[in-house]
Each structure stands twice: as structure tokens, then as C-alpha cells.
Amino acid sequence: MTHMSRSASPSHDGEFEFWRSHAHISLQPVAAPSILGLFGYAGATFVVATNLAGWYGTTATPTFLFPFAALLGGLAQFLAGMWAYRARDGLATAMHGIWGSFWLAYGLLYLLIATGVLVQPAPFVALGFWFAALAAITWSGAFAALAENIGLTLVLATLAAGATCLAVGNIGGFSVWPTIGAYLLIASAVIAWYTATAMMLEGTFRRVILPIGKMRGPDVPGREPRQVIQFTAGEPGIKVGQ
């Protein structure tokens, strides 16, 4: 950004006209990173949570869970979080970054358990504290998501509630709490799948197909999404001349 002299400084009333006439914009379009992040989260969470809920599984199950959790829930989500940073989406950066890191760690943990390096304790108190920290962060994210849309808010609220139950169950040794937490995570995964699908369809059809309760912009099926360029927000590639 080049230096602007006092004579070139805009008045309050003419600020928009000043930016419009002095800005040279070279945008670098970025697809919504949360499409990838939410699909990765939904897939990993559904597979792991259904195991925790007792829908399937044997003593050999960790061998098959860890690569799926680490790559789909971990790597895909973590990358989505880093791309969300480029898209100036602080909420997605935080949530995908934190939960992507968790799934990478979870995959590594169960790799060690599957190979016999570690023995899984019962109750798994240390894992309970993992979930306690994640629950606190995710409750903050759920509150922030109220400014975005209802779909994302429900994803994070059910995720935070599930993490809270898993924390209580593992730390306190209450067997019913992890099961409740698992069902909350299943619900979160389903909502995440719906929300990601709605975002993907809107991106491909260039109109709203499935509503997600947006707080800003059109949310009625068939309506075109609002495309706004904000000069004062610093779009990627913006340069201001004299």
C-alpha cells in the first residue's frame, strides 16, 4: 500500500468514492474451506462415535479407526482450517484447526494402542481431560457461530455437548456419559453433513438450495447468494494508489 498525502485523504462523506477511485483490486477467489472441513469432520466423527455408542466394533477396531480418524478428521480438517485463515474466517480457522489437531492426535493415540505400545486404561481419565479442553473451546465457537448461521451453531453446540459428556464420563468413570456423548456426536456429524452439503450446493448452483439459517444474506431456496466486496476489510490482493 503506497503512502497517501494529506491532500489525497478522503473526507468522511466521500470515503467510499475515494476507495472506489483509488483501489486496484486483484481478487484471489477462495472456495469455502468449511465444505471440506465439515465433510471431514462429519465422516470421522460418525465412524468413531458409532463405535463409541456400541453400534459395532471388536478389540481389533482401533486398527481400522486410527487411519480414518487421522486423515479424514485430522488432515482434511486441519488443512481446511489453514485455508480458512486465507479466507479471513476466524471461526472456521479456530474450529477446524483445533478439531483437526485433535483428530491427528486421536489417530496417533489409537495407532499406539492398536500396535500394543500403549494399553487403553478404563476409565480413560487422560482422554477425559482432552475432551474437557475441547469442550470449553467448542462452546466458545458455538456462541460465535450464532452470528453466522443456525446450521453451524447446531454442529458446534452438539459437538461441545458431546465432548462435555465424554469428559465427565472418562474423568468420573461414569459409563453412561460416554454413550450419551457418542449419540450427541452422531447428531453433530449428521448436522455437519447437511450444512456442508448446503454450502457445496450453493457454491455449485450459485443459488441457495438447502437453507442453513443464515444470519446475513439470502437463505431462501432459489435465491442467489449475496456477493459483497468490502474495500475497508482488505480483500486479498487489494492495492491502493495515490
Side-chain angles (χ1 to χ4, degrees), residues 183-206:
Y183 277 97
L184 286 168
L185 293 184
I186 292 170
S188 180
V190 173
I191 300 169
W193 165 78
Y194 172 87
T195 304
T197 300
M199 294 172 66
M200 181 176 65
L201 292 176
E202 181 176 306
T204 54
F205 286 94
R206 300 294 189 270

Side-chain angles (χ1 to χ4, degrees), residues 43-195:
T45 302
F46 182 81
V47 170
V48 172
T50 48
N51 173 252
L52 293 175
W55 291 14
Y56 74 95
T58 65
T59 55
T61 299
T63 305
F64 303 100
L65 284 182
F66 80 82
F68 192 81
L71 295 179
L72 199 69
L75 182 60
Q77 259 206 106
F78 188 80
L79 288 174
M82 298 307 98
W83 287 322
Y85 171 81
R86 177 60 179 164
R88 300 183 314 176
D89 190 337
L91 176 61
T93 300
M95 295 298 101
H96 292 314
I98 289 296
W99 278 95
S101 300
F102 162 76
W103 282 116
L104 287 169
Y106 188 90
L108 176 59
L109 173 65
Y110 275 90
L111 169 62
L112 296 175
I113 291 174
T115 55
V117 175
L118 295 178
V119 176
Q120 180 173 338
F124 206 157
V125 176
L127 188 61
F129 280 97
W130 283 24
F131 282 115
L134 287 165
I137 295 169
T138 309
W139 280 120
S140 298
F143 180 73
L146 288 170
E148 295 289 338
N149 60 70
I150 300 301
L152 185 57
T153 301
L154 291 176
V155 170
L156 294 175
T158 49
L159 173 58
T164 300
C165 292
L166 288 166
V168 172
N170 281 285
I171 294 173
F174 307 116
S175 59
V176 70
W177 282 92
T179 302
I180 297 172
Y183 277 97
L184 286 168
L185 293 184
I186 292 170
S188 180
V190 173
I191 300 169
W193 165 78
Y194 172 87
T195 304

